[in-house]
Amino acid sequence: LHGMAEGAGAFLTSASLVGAMLGKLTLGMLGDRLGPRAPLFLSQGCVILGVSLMLGAPHSLPALLGGSLIFGYGACTTALLPAILTQAAFGERDYDKLLSYITMSGNLLGGFGNSIYGALYDLSHAYTLPMLLCIGLSLLVLVCGQLALRSRPGACTGAPA
């Protein structure tokens, strides 16, 4: 990724945004039909797969485009997954209040994310460390999401609360 032309980098951003649009259109419906575990695993699996493709072939434009598209599909869940998991783990009681706290906390912490990714790039002069952090954070989301879903009977199957 280092030394890539600006146009190619912009094209990767566009591919990621197309993936995010497709994810927003489908992951919510998938959660409605199959329960919250499906979008949790699919989204984070796509983030991990997409980043892994980009790390594995940093000079292959097709791999970078495919990885960026797949990453975008999964990464869109920063807007969707908190609502899906909050409702599944806590039900309707105080849902609006809990979701606002979770969203506010996520936005506050997310504000530091770009600075952390930038500092890791500056430290290493490569995107490897920030991308590995992204994979690690996706694994953490999987673990925390599973713990949240297990805290409430019926949450993993999509059964009514």
Side-chain angles (χ1 to χ4, degrees):
L1 298 179
H2 186 70
M4 179 181 291
E6 290 85 4
F11 197 45
L12 293 181
T13 301
S14 295
S16 180
L17 291 172
V18 168
M21 178 192 65
L22 294 172
K24 286 180 180 181
L25 289 172
T26 60
L27 285 169
M29 290 185 294
L30 184 67
D32 291 341
R33 287 192 176 172
L34 301 177
R37 187 179 285 172
L40 171 66
F41 277 93
L42 181 59
S43 66
Q44 298 315 297
C46 284
V47 169
I48 292 167
L49 177 62
V51 171
S52 297
L53 278 172
M54 291 186 278
L55 275 173
H59 303 293
S60 166
L61 191 56
L64 291 171
L65 282 171
S68 187
L69 181 79
I70 293 167
F71 167 82
Y73 185 88
C76 79
T77 57
T78 57
L80 298 173
L81 212 48
I84 292 169
L85 293 178
T86 300
Q87 186 173 32
F90 299 105
E92 294 297 323
R93 184 171 173 221
D94 296 326
Y95 168 76
D96 54 344
K97 189 183 299 184
L98 289 170
L99 183 60
S100 69
Y101 292 144
I102 290 168
T103 303
M104 181 180 61
S105 299
N107 287 337
L108 181 63
L109 292 172
F112 295 107
N114 288 336
S115 297
I116 293 169
Y117 287 131
L120 289 172
Y121 176 84
D122 290 344
L123 180 69
S124 64
H125 302 291
Y127 289 103
T128 303
L129 288 177
M131 293 175 107
L132 289 174
L133 176 60
C134 183
I135 290 172
L137 290 173
S138 287
L139 291 170
L140 182 63
V141 168
L142 281 171
V143 169
C144 291
Q146 278 295 100
L147 290 173
L149 292 174
R150 287 185 181 167
S151 70
R152 184 152 189 247
C156 292
T157 61

